[in-house]
């Protein structure tokens, strides 16, 4: 049987009933029958909400004796560190129980305010938890969360997967080679900030909901309008109920009804891209050294990230008009066609993802404005500055907003106590938007620029030039690629330093510290500077996989990491060879054709003066003959041919473990670098 409480509005004597139910049970179904029987209902009152038609609403009034018996004492509410704060006679209404709404509710609660969160479907948070996968919480947002509630921040960081302690950055989508590497670790530790994590949205939501308290969150409560009379603000729910408070915060997302009521209808801005996303059971060979990568291409790009638990999350962006729909089982087929010819990292992730796990949505954002609210109503997060996901800062900005808004309201309360005057609600809301809008606008612009850069990338002259596309075969580096790399190389450290650490000095009450759990590999600096060292750090097994149209006569070759046990390839089997002997029957294979050896984390092929030679095609599609008796290094994704007739061809693959594939073709092998 659910317990109940009666809260009295801080402005009027109107009594509103809240049910303390276990998350996420519907509020309306959990009232005590005995308590409900003691209620008497007043007559309906006509109320106008922001120009909408008059609606008759019922106010639920409790009997005086029940109100006295169940009245909540304004004694204490516990803080994140176990401290107790006196409850402040200020009621804060929050429209939306997503990440931004819950973090702000937590921040306001820790400041001692009475908070009510209205959410129409807390179990899925408007589908985000189910459909949008994990979320990246970067150092700046984690620090703000620490300043709000250290215990909650610790729980989030414990549940998340650290990606900021590894190499992250941009790579060429076709070749898979590094373009620019991002150092998100140094800006964090230099300022005593937590290192970037990735966490499931549903897990994050559950942590926040528990901390806020199910007595604060009203499920199945969709805010559709409000009325601000200057002394109080009254929200109208879709079910006809109304609630009063001192301030209303719209945190109801990009399609915010609070925003629409404030400023009128305005369409969101389509980015020009649709986005496919999925999560695969997939462990790359470089999982210990690489956190996330953005694969660049022309009018399309692809993002992959480790999300922990043996899973990888990916996003595939493609430039096209909005509103597209895929047929049954059509997503994977379409994506494999769009990204045909791209590097193994991309193709293998698509193969490893079930069709049913692939989801699609068009990407929209909202241009930030100078005005975030009116009177006693303001906006937060996506409702005012929804941004594209390219910077991973959408949720982070909502968390920063939450900290700042709660701080400004607390300052206003303290000022009213010192002066003995009523709390000025409008001024702190104005101060909040003034302090936030510049930083938000800059990062919003960066997110848009990142999309343009990622999708207009051209590796070589001729890409995207139609009749002149034949120029790509000459592999002439595109001037934009060269110039862009120089610019990004210089600008990226400054940008990351400002984005990740630029707000840390404004966080009051947070101790500057680093966690031992956030320690990066001793090789991290070397990996940033040396691609060869990064490749040598691969933890997977190396294979030569049969490649081409006819591979029935060939078998997969697993290469040994024992320097004393090389692999010899020839027409006959060599029993006395001190390693692995592979016999391949083909007219162009010599008796002793080539030898493959391992040394210091790298593999080499040596042609043993074969008649028809040994050939390598690198990931830049350059084909060359291996010089006889000279060890030649090969790399992941290279193609090795024994003989010149292209009958005995293998592709180099590096795998952590053989991965499950939803496609049943025998030549599909997953998980490459």
């Amino acid at each position: 049987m659910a317990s109940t409480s009666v809260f009295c509005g801080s402005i009027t004597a109107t009594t509103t009933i809240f049910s303390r139910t276990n998350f996420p049970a519907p509020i309306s179904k959990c009232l005590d029958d005995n308590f409900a029987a003691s209620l008497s209902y007043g007559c309906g009152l006509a109320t106008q909400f922001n120009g909408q038609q008059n609606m008759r609403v019922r106010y639920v009034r409790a009997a005086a004796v029940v109100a006295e018996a169940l009245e909540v004492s304004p004694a204490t509410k516990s803080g994140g560190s176990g401290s107790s704060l006196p409850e402040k006679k200020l009621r804060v209404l929050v429209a939306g129980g997503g990440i931004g709404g819950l973090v702000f509710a937590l921040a306001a609660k820790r400041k001692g305010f009475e908070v009510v969160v209205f959410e129409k479907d807390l179990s899925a948070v408007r589908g985000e938890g189910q459909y949008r996968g994990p979320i990246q919480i970067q150092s700046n947002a984690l620090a703000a969360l620490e300043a709000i509630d250290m215990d909650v921040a610790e729980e989030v960081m414990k549940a998340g997967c650290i990606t900021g302690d590894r190499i992250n950055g941009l790579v060429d989508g076709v070749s898979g080679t590094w373009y620019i590497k991002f150092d998100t670790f140094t800006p964090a530790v230099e300022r005593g900030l937590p290192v970037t994590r990735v966490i499931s949205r549903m897990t994050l939501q559950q942590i926040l909901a528990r901390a806020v308290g199910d007595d604060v969150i009203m499920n199945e409560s969709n805010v559709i309008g409000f009325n601000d009379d200057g002394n109080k603000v009254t929200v109208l729910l879709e079910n006809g109920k109304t609630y009063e408070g001192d301030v209303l915060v719209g945190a109801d997302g990009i399609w915010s009804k609070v925003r629409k009521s404030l400023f009128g209808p305005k369409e969101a801005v389509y980015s020009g891209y649709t986005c496919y996303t999925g999560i695969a059971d997939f462990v790359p060979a470089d999982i210990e050294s690489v956190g996330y990568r953005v694969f660049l291409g022309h009018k399309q790009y692809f993002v992959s990230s480790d999300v922990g638990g043996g899973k990888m999350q990916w996003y595939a962006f493609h430039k096209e008009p909005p509103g597209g729909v895929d047929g049954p089982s059509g997503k994977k087929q379409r994506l494999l066609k769009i990204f045909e010819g791209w590097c193994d990292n991309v193709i293998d992730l698509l193969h490893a993802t079930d069709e049913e796990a692939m989801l699609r949505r068009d990407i929209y954002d909202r241009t930030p404005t100078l005005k975030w609210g009116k009177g006693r109503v303001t906006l937060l997060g996506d409702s005012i500055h929804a941004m594209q996901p390219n910077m991973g800062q959408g949720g982070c900005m909502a968390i920063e907003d939450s900290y700042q808004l709660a701080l400004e309201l607390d300052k206003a309360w303290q000022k009213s106590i010192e002066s003995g005057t009523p709390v000025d609600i409008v001024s702190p809301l104005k101060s909040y938007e003034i302090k936030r809008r510049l930083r938000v606008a800059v990062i919003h612009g960066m997110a848009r620029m990142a999309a343009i850069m990622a999708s207009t990338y051209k590796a070589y002259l001729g890409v995207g030039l139609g009749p002149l596309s034949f120029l790509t075969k000459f592999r002439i580096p595109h001037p934009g690629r060269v110039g862009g790399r120089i610019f990004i190389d210089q600008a990226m450290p400054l940008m990351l330093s400002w984005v990740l650490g630029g707000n840390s000095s404004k966080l009051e009450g947070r101790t500057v510290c680093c966690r031992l759990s956030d320690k990066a590999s001793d090789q991290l600096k070397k990996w940033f500077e040396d691609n060869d060292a990064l490749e040598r750090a691969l933890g997977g097994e190396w294979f030569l996989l049969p490649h081409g149209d006819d591979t029935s006569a060939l078998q997969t070759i697993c290469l040994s990491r024992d320097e004393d046990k090389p692999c010899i390839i020839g027409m006959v089997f060599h029993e006395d060879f001190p390693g692995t002997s592979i016999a391949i029957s083909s007219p162009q294979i010599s008796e002793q054709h080539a030898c493959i050896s391992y040394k210091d984390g790298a593999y080499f092929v040596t042609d043993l003066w074969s008649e028809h030679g040994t050939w390598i095609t690198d990931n830049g599609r350059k084909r060359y003959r291996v010089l006889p008796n000279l060890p030649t290094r090969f790399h992941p994704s290279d193609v090795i041919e024994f003989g010149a007739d292209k009958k005995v061809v293998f592709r180099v693959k590096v795998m952590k473990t053989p991965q499950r594939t939803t496609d049943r073709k025998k030549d599909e092998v997953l998980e490459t670098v």
Side-chain angles (χ1 to χ4, degrees), residues 212-322:
V212 170
D214 54 352
D215 58 324
V216 171
I217 305 168
M218 295 191 63
N219 196 19
E220 297 184 347
S221 301
N222 184 24
V223 176
I224 61 173
F226 67 86
N227 181 45
D228 180 2
D229 65 7
N231 295 315
K232 64 181 181 300
V233 60
T234 306
V235 299
L236 171 66
L237 304 186
E238 192 173 34
N239 58 18
K241 294 181 180 180
T242 60
Y243 296 88
E244 294 178 354
D246 299 289
V247 60
L248 170 62
V249 178
D252 46 345
I254 187 171
W255 313 111
S256 169
K257 292 183 175 65
V258 177
R259 177 191 177 113
K260 183 178 180 180
S261 297
L262 275 173
F263 304 121
K266 186 176 181 181
E267 294 296 325
V269 180
Y270 180 55
S271 66
Y273 293 87
T274 194
C275 173
Y276 292 85
T277 184
I279 299 178
D281 293 319
F282 191 88
V283 182
D286 57 0
I287 193 71
E288 302 296 333
S289 55
V290 178
Y292 74 83
R293 276 177 286 222
V294 180
F295 300 86
L296 307 177
H298 182 58
K299 296 184 178 180
Q300 62 195 67
Y301 58 104
F302 192 95
V303 182
S304 69
S305 175
D306 176 25
V307 294
K311 297 181 183 294
M312 292 289 290
Q313 179 188 22
W314 55 264
Y315 297 92
F317 297 84
H318 185 249
K319 189 175 183 64
E320 60 183 84

Side-chain angles (χ1 to χ4, degrees), residues 192-209:
L193 303 175
V195 177
T196 295
R197 264 93 165 159
V198 174
I199 184 173
S200 160
R201 288 177 183 266
M202 293 297 284
T203 300
L204 177 59
Q205 171 202 343
Q206 291 165 3
I207 292 172
L208 294 172

Side-chain angles (χ1 to χ4, degrees), residues 64-75:
V65 62
V66 179
E68 290 176 3
L70 299 178
E71 183 176 1
V72 176
S73 170

Side-chain angles (χ1 to χ4, degrees), residues 139 142-143 145-147 149-158 162 185 188-189 192-195 197 510-520:
S139 300
L142 289 172
L145 198 56
E146 284 183 323
D149 189 312
M150 181 61 76
D151 292 342
V152 171
E154 289 288 354
E155 190 175 356
V156 169
M157 286 185 276
K158 183 178 179 181
I162 302 176
F185 183 78
V189 298
L193 303 175
V195 177
R197 264 93 165 159
R510 180 190 174 273
T511 302
V512 177
C513 63
C514 293
R515 290 167 174 73
L516 293 176
S517 61
D518 288 359
K519 184 179 182 298

Side-chain angles (χ1 to χ4, degrees), residues 207 301 374 377 395 500:
I207 292 172
Y301 58 104
K374 294 178 182 178
V377 184
L500 300 182

